[in-house]
């Protein structure tokens, strides 16, 4: 049997309640995530979205992490488009190998029972 462990996040950013002027990026201002720059731009990995109660909402993978995280808050086709207001914390694990990303994503979805992942669910 293969033993898989959930990787520890390399970066975690949380929602900030802004005071004063809005920042130049309207998406950051609207959803409260102002420190996207901490997420690597050209690295691949796994993205985990949590709510304020630390419950896993959604797991995704990406070849380029920062643009993908931003697209989740901009796209009209994002799986979390109706639940963006629930996201309180974004955790990112850098994983360069595409096959490992796929394995980790499926494993995390089914182990932690991500609320809004419906395409790779085996725990029903």
């Amino acid at each position: 049997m293969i033993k898989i462990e959930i990787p520890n996040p390399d970066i975690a950013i949380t929602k900030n309640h802004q005071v004063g002027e809005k920042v130049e990026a309207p998406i950051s201002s609207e959803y409260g995530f102002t420190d996207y720059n901490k997420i690597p731009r050209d690295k691949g990995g796994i993205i985990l979205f949590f709510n304020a109660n630390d419950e896993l909402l959604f797991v995704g993978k990406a070849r380029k992490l920062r643009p993908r995280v931003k697209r989740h808050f901009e796209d009209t086709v994002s799986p979390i488009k109706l639940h963006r207001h629930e996201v309180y914390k974004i955790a990112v694990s850098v994983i360069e190998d595409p096959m490992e990303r796929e394995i980790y994503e499926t494993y995390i979805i089914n182990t932690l029972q991500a609320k809004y992942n419906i395409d790779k669910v085996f725990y029903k």
Side-chain angles (χ1 to χ4, degrees):
M1 181 169 175
I2 298 172
K3 183 166 174 66
I4 301 173
E5 292 188 21
I6 298 171
N8 289 326
D10 296 309
I11 297 109
I13 60 174
T14 55
K15 184 180 282 193
N16 300 327
H17 293 288
Q18 291 186 298
V19 179
E21 296 180 21
K22 291 189 171 205
V23 294
E24 56 197 54
I27 298 299
S28 297
S29 298
E30 185 177 347
Y31 294 106
F33 293 98
T34 56
D35 42 4
Y36 287 118
N37 61 331
K38 293 181 180 178
I39 300 172
R41 180 182 311 228
D42 294 329
K43 301 263 186 196
I46 300 291
I47 308 157
L48 294 93
F49 295 92
F50 294 92
N51 65 12
N53 298 327
D54 218 26
E55 297 169 332
L56 184 61
L57 299 175
F58 185 78
V59 180
K61 63 184 181 307
R63 286 184 294 127
K64 295 185 178 186
L65 287 166
R66 189 186 313 169
R68 186 64 191 122
V69 170
K70 284 185 174 183
R71 276 197 310 271
H72 273 295
F73 290 97
E74 296 168 347
D75 277 356
T76 57
V77 295
S78 172
I80 63 166
K81 70 180 176 196
L82 301 175
H83 313 286
R84 292 174 179 148
H85 63 282
E86 288 183 58
V87 178
Y88 178 76
K89 181 173 89 173
I90 302 170
V92 174
S93 297
V94 176
I95 301 166
E96 287 294 330
D97 182 12
M99 184 59 74
E100 286 182 30
R101 285 195 298 261
E102 185 71 37
I103 292 168
Y104 279 128
E105 181 192 33
T106 304
Y107 181 75
I108 293 168
I109 289 168
N110 289 286
T111 303
L112 301 180
Q113 298 185 0
K115 191 173 182 179
Y116 299 120
N117 284 93
I118 54 170
D119 55 343
K120 296 184 179 184
V121 174
F122 301 111
Y123 60 80
K124 286 185 178 180

